[in-house]
Amino acid sequence: VSNAPKLSRYEVECLRWAAIGKTDSEISTIMARSRATIRYHLKNAADKLDAVNRSQTVFNATQLGYLISRI
């Protein structure tokens, strides 16, 4: 999609973990970042995707092709 918002690699990585049910704490451990940093990336992604919550953020990112698994 040509007019899709540009997500950072950290926003996408956080969303990929969130999409499979990981909590902020679990993602922070996996990515070796603070929980505040994880929340920051997820909030930025939500803002860019015009989403109101975590589920909608993951859904919108999936619809735009950000969370498609790479084979």
Side-chain angles (χ1 to χ4, degrees):
V1 179
S2 62
N3 61 350
K6 179 71 172 130
L7 299 182
S8 74
R9 71 182 189 116
Y10 291 115
E11 291 163 352
V12 172
E13 186 174 358
C14 288
L15 285 171
R16 285 193 175 141
W17 289 115
I20 61 170
K22 298 297 184 186
T23 65
D24 292 349
S25 294
E26 291 170 326
I27 298 168
S28 72
T29 300
I30 292 164
M31 293 180 62
R33 302 284 188 269
S34 71
R35 278 179 40 218
T37 298
I38 300 309
R39 287 192 301 269
Y40 171 83
H41 290 308
L42 291 172
K43 172 76 168 83
N44 284 345
D47 290 346
K48 289 178 183 179
L49 297 172
D50 292 324
V52 297
N53 58 37
R54 188 183 191 102
S55 296
Q56 188 179 39
T57 304
V58 169
F59 177 81
N60 290 353
T62 302
Q63 292 296 104
L64 291 170
Y66 281 108
L67 305 185
I68 303 300
S69 62
R70 290 177 171 79
I71 299 172

